């Protein structure tokens, strides 16, 4: 698994890249939001008085919040059109943005509706809130769903996320399904724009049932089929650098997975210190070969820290392949791959298979931290490519990857496709430097597992 096949022919020049459907998907999502607002507009006559304005605004916020909940779940469904064609990182950013919109709309809905009802009944906000929660149909379940959504939102905030484990975040995030289920009933029972209106109700059911079908198929049935068909197990574990380990996974008919260099799977390892309880994304660190897949993992959390304890024969549960950091994105015959730390794993696979002239720049603290270095050198010799290293100086000083330094090191940089993989801060800083160096946005390709 660690050798390069010397008999392969030289890589060919890339063909035209496939167009991303991201723009069309966003257009559909915004059109849905406009239709929801149109539903309120069609159903609303004149708005009179402060209570009417508050209640009307609360109804709009509630409708949009309900729609946004469906969008949130749909973006979590791991639909291949989104995960592969659009890109998992972009879908994750959409999901995070939709989550912020949802929480804000939820706060607005609760505050505006209660304020409108209180103004109408000439009661205090507290009295009105207690009355609504205890006496209105479906409101106890909706209140529980609201509390869960707030918990999901709080744990997803960047400041909180940095201080919690991936496993804790993962389990809390799964509760979003329960929150949406609990809140659905009150939308139909109390929503003036849905209650008693067959067409609007049918639309709402179609929206939620359609999203539920996507989740059932792509998050439950498709993974079950994949794992029953391919029977994945750990073949071997090998240390690559301090705290960095490669896991070779063996299975049946691996080629039928259609996995490409640069993509990743979500992995569970049963019998490996609780590693079967969470699904964690790890990139392929080599192209699939025969019935073997390989990932390379750095110990950064509970799941990844348990990787060295895996034993041959351990059962593996995988979901995928996902990700759009592949040769399909190439628009030029020249490519520059820039990796930092364990971000080298998908780029190592691309370095072997990406067509055209390829250069890899590997950023690490020390030479000891260069995982897969021997393989990179072997690939470079085989295909006549270049590997360059950006290591810290003797006193820890970091090499400057500025626009000027990049232009001087890589002549004709603006005509390259640039693939980036590394920590979020590194990727952001490097993206700015590349844009300043004249590289068009369409030629900068990046995926991040920052959650």
């Amino acid at each position: 698994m660690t050798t390069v096949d010397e008999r392969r022919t030289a890589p060919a020049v890339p063909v035209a890249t496939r167009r991303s459907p991201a723009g069309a998907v966003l257009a559909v999502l915004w059109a849905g939001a406009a239709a929801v607002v149109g539903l309120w507009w069609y159903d609303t006559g004149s708005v009179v008085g402060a209570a009417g304005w508050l209640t009307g605004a609360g109804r709009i916020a509630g409708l949009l919040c309900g729609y946004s909940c469906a969008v949130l779940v749909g973006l979590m469904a791991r639909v291949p059109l989104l995960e592969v064609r659009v890109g998992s990182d972009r879908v994750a950013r959409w999901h995070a943005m939709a989550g912020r919109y949802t929480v804000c709309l939820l706060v607005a809905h609760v505050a505006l509706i209660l304020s409108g009802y209180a103004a109408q009944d000439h009661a205090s906000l507290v009295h009105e809130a207690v009355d609504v929660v205890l006496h209105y149909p479906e409101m106890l379940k909706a209140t529980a769903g609201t509390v869960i959504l707030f918990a999901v939102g709080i744990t997803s905030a960047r400041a909180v996320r940095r201080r919690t484990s991936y496993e804790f975040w993962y389990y809390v995030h799964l509760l979003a399904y329960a929150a949406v289920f609990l809140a659905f009933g009150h939308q139909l029972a109390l929503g003036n724009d849905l209650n008693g209106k067959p067409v609007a109700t049918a639309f709402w059911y179609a929206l939620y049932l359609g999203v539920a079908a996507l989740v059932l198929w792509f998050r439950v049935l498709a993974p079950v089929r994949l794992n029953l068909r391919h029977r994945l197990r750990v073949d071997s574990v090998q240390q690559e650098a301090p705290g960095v380990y490669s896991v070779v996974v063996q299975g049946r008919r691996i080629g039928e997975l259609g996995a490409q260099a640069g993509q990743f799977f979500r992995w569970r390892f049963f019998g490996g210190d609780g590693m079967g309880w969470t699904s964690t994304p790890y990139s392929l660190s080599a192209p699939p070969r025969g019935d073997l897949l390989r990932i390379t993992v750095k110990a950064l959390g509970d799941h990844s820290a348990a990787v060295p304890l895996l034993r041959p024969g351990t059962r593996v549960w995988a979901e995928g392949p996902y990700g759009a950091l592949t040769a399909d994105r190439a628009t030029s015959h020249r490519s520059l791959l820039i990796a930092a730390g364990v971000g080298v794993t998908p780029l190592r696979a691309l370095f072997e298979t990406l067509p055209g002239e390829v250069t890899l720049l590997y950023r690490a603290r020390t030479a000891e931290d260069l995982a897969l270095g021997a393989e990179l050198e072997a690939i470079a010799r085989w295909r006549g490519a270049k590997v360059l290293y950006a290591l810290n100086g003797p006193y820890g000083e970091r090499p400057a990857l500025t626009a000027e330094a990049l232009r001087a090191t890589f002549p004709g940089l603006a005509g390259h496709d640039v693939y980036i993989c590394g920590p979020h801060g590194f990727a952001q800083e490097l993206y700015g430097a590349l844009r300043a160096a004249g590289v068009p946005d369409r030629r900068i390709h990046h995926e991040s597992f920052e959650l």
Side-chain angles (χ1 to χ4, degrees):
M1 195 67 186
T2 60
T3 61
V4 178
D5 188 348
E6 300 286 350
R7 296 171 294 176
R8 295 185 181 184
T9 58
V13 176
V15 297
T17 185
R18 288 190 297 175
R19 188 179 183 87
S20 170
V25 172
L26 285 177
V28 170
L29 294 180
W30 283 112
V36 168
V37 175
L39 180 65
W40 172 87
W41 182 271
Y42 176 80
D43 189 57
T44 302
S46 59
V47 179
V48 180
W53 281 103
L54 288 169
T55 304
R59 283 169 54 197
I60 295 175
L63 282 169
L64 287 173
C65 182
Y67 172 74
S68 184
C69 282
V71 171
L72 270 180
V73 175
L75 292 174
M76 294 166 64
R78 297 177 187 163
V79 179
L81 173 69
L82 301 178
E83 297 286 334
V84 177
R85 294 289 306 283
V86 174
S88 298
D89 64 327
R90 182 179 289 186
V91 174
R93 290 196 296 271
W94 289 355
H95 176 74
M97 183 178 297
R100 290 190 286 270
Y101 286 154
T102 302
V103 172
C104 291
L105 288 167
L106 180 59
V107 171
H109 171 62
V110 172
L112 290 168
I113 284 289
L114 290 179
S115 297
Y117 287 178
Q120 182 178 310
D121 297 339
H122 304 288
S124 69
L125 274 175
V126 173
H127 178 273
E128 196 66 38
V130 172
D131 183 53
V132 167
V133 171
L134 296 181
H135 300 115
Y136 281 45
E138 299 286 340
M139 275 307 302
L140 282 174
K141 290 193 295 184
T143 301
T146 298
V147 171
I148 292 173
L149 276 179
F150 279 136
V152 172
I154 290 170
T155 55
S156 297
R158 190 176 294 274
V160 178
R161 179 69 188 90
R162 290 196 188 105
R163 292 169 172 78
T164 57
S165 68
Y166 171 80
E167 290 75 17
F168 175 79
W169 174 89
Y170 177 83
Y171 288 122
V172 172
H173 223 65
L174 285 180
L175 293 175
Y177 292 117
V180 173
F181 173 78
L182 289 168
F184 181 73
H186 107 281
Q187 297 174 40
L188 297 177
L190 298 176
N192 289 340
D193 304 289
L194 301 174
N195 190 8
K197 299 175 176 61
V199 175
T201 300
F203 166 76
W204 216 247
Y205 268 113
L207 174 66
Y208 273 79
L209 290 176
V211 167
L214 292 177
V215 172
L216 177 63
W217 181 260
F218 291 112
R219 294 206 63 162
V220 180
L221 298 180
V224 168
R225 179 180 180 274
L226 182 154
N227 287 280
L228 289 177
R229 183 176 182 82
H230 297 288
R231 304 286 183 177
L232 303 175
R233 291 185 180 273
V234 172
D235 180 80
S236 62
V237 180
Q238 176 181 336
Q239 186 171 13
E240 304 287 0
V244 180
Y245 292 82
S246 285
V247 181
V248 177
V249 175
Q250 185 178 37
R252 301 185 304 184
R253 300 189 291 272
I254 292 297
E256 295 178 7
L257 288 170
Q260 300 181 62
Q263 291 188 307
F264 68 94
F265 288 77
R266 297 178 184 273
W267 303 89
R268 300 174 191 263
F269 298 93
F270 295 103
D273 279 3
M275 298 174 72
W277 292 103
T278 53
S279 173
T280 305
Y282 298 127
S283 295
L284 297 177
S285 60
R289 293 199 178 94
D291 286 336
L292 300 178
L293 299 171
R294 190 185 72 176
I295 59 175
T296 301
V297 179
K298 184 173 183 179
L300 297 172
D302 294 343
H303 193 280
S304 54
V307 164
L309 305 178
L310 293 173
R311 294 293 177 262
T314 299
R315 290 189 300 119
V316 180
W317 184 275
E319 300 171 39
Y322 302 125
L325 195 69
T326 67
D328 288 340
R329 285 192 174 185
T331 62
S332 168
H333 70 282
R334 293 181 296 173
S335 299
L336 171 62
L337 315 180
I338 305 180
V342 77
V344 74
T345 55
L347 299 191
R348 178 260 177 254
L350 278 172
F351 190 51
E352 180 178 338
T353 60
L354 195 64
E357 301 174 13
V358 184
T359 302
L360 187 144
L361 175 62
Y362 192 172
R363 166 80 181 97
R365 290 188 179 88
T366 67
E368 289 74 23
D369 296 319
L370 294 172
L372 308 175
E375 293 183 28
L376 295 173
E377 295 288 350
I379 294 169
R381 289 192 298 270
W382 159 66
R383 64 176 300 170
K386 295 180 181 178
V387 181
L388 304 176
Y389 302 99
L391 305 177
N392 288 359
Y395 300 103
E397 58 272 24
R398 294 164 54 89
L401 298 180
T402 61
E404 294 75 16
L406 291 170
R407 273 198 302 258
T409 306
F410 306 103
L413 178 61
H416 287 65
D417 280 294
V418 183
Y419 291 77
I420 307 170
C421 194
H424 184 68
F426 167 83
Q428 279 191 320
E429 182 179 338
L430 186 58
Y431 175 84
L434 289 167
R435 294 292 287 123
V439 182
D441 181 74
R442 70 181 184 279
R443 287 186 170 170
I444 302 175
H445 316 301
H446 169 242
E447 278 191 340
S448 171
F449 294 115
E450 190 90 356
L451 299 169

